[in-house]
Amino acid sequence: METDELVRRIRRDLIVLAASLAVFAVCAVLVADGRVGPAERAVFDAVNGLPAWLYRPMLLAQYLGVLAMPLVVAAGALAFRRWRLAGALVLVVPLKLGLERAVKWLVQRERPGTTVPDAILRGVNPGGLSFVSGHAIVTFAIAGLLALVLPRRWGIVAFVLASCNAIARVYLGAHNPLDVVGGAAVGLAIAAVLDLLLNVARDRAGNPPGRISSAREDRAA
């Protein structure tokens, strides 16, 4: 039984990892020349041109992707004794920093303030490398890990919040759409790798720490 669960977990994580890397690779190829294509430009204009009254909600949504957020969520995980989840969330920080730096060294595209004429910039830097979005890496890594542990409905909420963060970054003019899609792919890849290494899913809600070992002891007795 445990072997079957292990095989299913590894298969699931490998599928997520392969799909995430494929999406990232497609995004990287599309933006490698530093330009913003017509289709991506149309999506950017649609989101960036949303009404001004959305500024405050979008500003709040972007804070979900700050570098401290995995540590904040990790503190909550520790409070509920989800040790594996907490450890994985802490590891998101160095992985995000290292992978984001590597990607920006390989694929160099400027922010919308430079690449998109007439982009509406709402309190963001007009210059600097844009691919991939570090905020999207953080939020989707968190969502991917939480989905392994929380009930399905709360996992969906985590992904909705991550998507709101990605949309907010485009709305504010900090990123083009493929920047956040590529960042989301990297974040999900991080979550898959961490589950492969740490078996985060073992912290799933409804399976409190000690339950598995207690069951084994009962069978042994």
Side-chain angles (χ1 to χ4, degrees):
M1 185 67 176
E2 291 182 5
T3 301
D4 292 340
E5 292 178 358
L6 175 63
V7 170
R8 284 195 296 269
R9 178 174 66 85
I10 292 176
R11 182 186 297 121
R12 178 196 64 218
D13 290 336
L14 290 178
I15 290 172
V16 172
L17 179 60
S20 299
L21 292 177
V23 171
F24 167 77
V26 170
C27 292
V29 169
L30 291 175
V31 309
D33 61 0
R35 300 178 182 178
V36 180
E40 186 182 13
R41 171 67 189 272
V43 175
F44 175 84
D45 288 341
V47 177
N48 186 239
L50 288 172
W53 61 266
L54 286 170
Y55 173 72
R56 289 189 180 278
M58 293 290 189
L59 185 64
L60 291 176
Q62 82 156 346
Y63 291 141
L64 295 173
V66 298
L67 194 57
M69 191 55 66
L71 303 180
V72 172
V73 182
L78 287 175
F80 286 94
R81 300 175 63 200
R82 305 300 174 184
W83 316 120
R84 296 169 187 264
L85 175 60
L89 287 164
V90 170
L91 290 174
V92 166
V93 175
L95 288 172
K96 178 265 184 187
L97 291 173
L99 290 173
E100 182 184 16
R101 180 175 298 180
V103 170
K104 289 185 176 180
W105 180 75
L106 292 170
V107 182
Q108 300 184 351
R109 181 169 75 163
E110 293 289 324
R111 294 187 183 275
T114 300
T115 57
V116 179
D118 303 322
I120 303 171
L121 306 182
R122 299 177 172 94
V124 297
N125 195 330
L129 296 179
S130 181
F131 185 84
V132 289
S133 166
H135 282 67
I137 293 176
V138 167
T139 53
F140 277 87
I142 293 174
L145 291 171
L146 290 179
L148 295 169
V149 176
L150 297 177
R152 182 184 297 270
R153 62 182 179 277
W154 292 112
I156 292 173
V157 170
F159 277 108
V160 168
L161 292 174
S163 300
C164 288
N165 173 264
I167 293 171
R169 295 299 283 167
V170 178
Y171 172 82
L172 295 171
H175 287 285
N176 283 298
L178 288 179
D179 300 334
V180 296
V181 173
V186 173
L188 291 175
I190 288 175
V193 169
L194 289 174
D195 188 48
L196 280 170
L197 296 175
L198 302 178
N199 191 8
V200 176
R202 190 169 177 178
D203 278 353
R204 184 175 293 112
N207 183 30
R211 178 175 176 179
I212 293 177
S213 58
S214 297
R216 289 174 180 167
E217 292 172 1
D218 292 341
R219 287 198 300 268

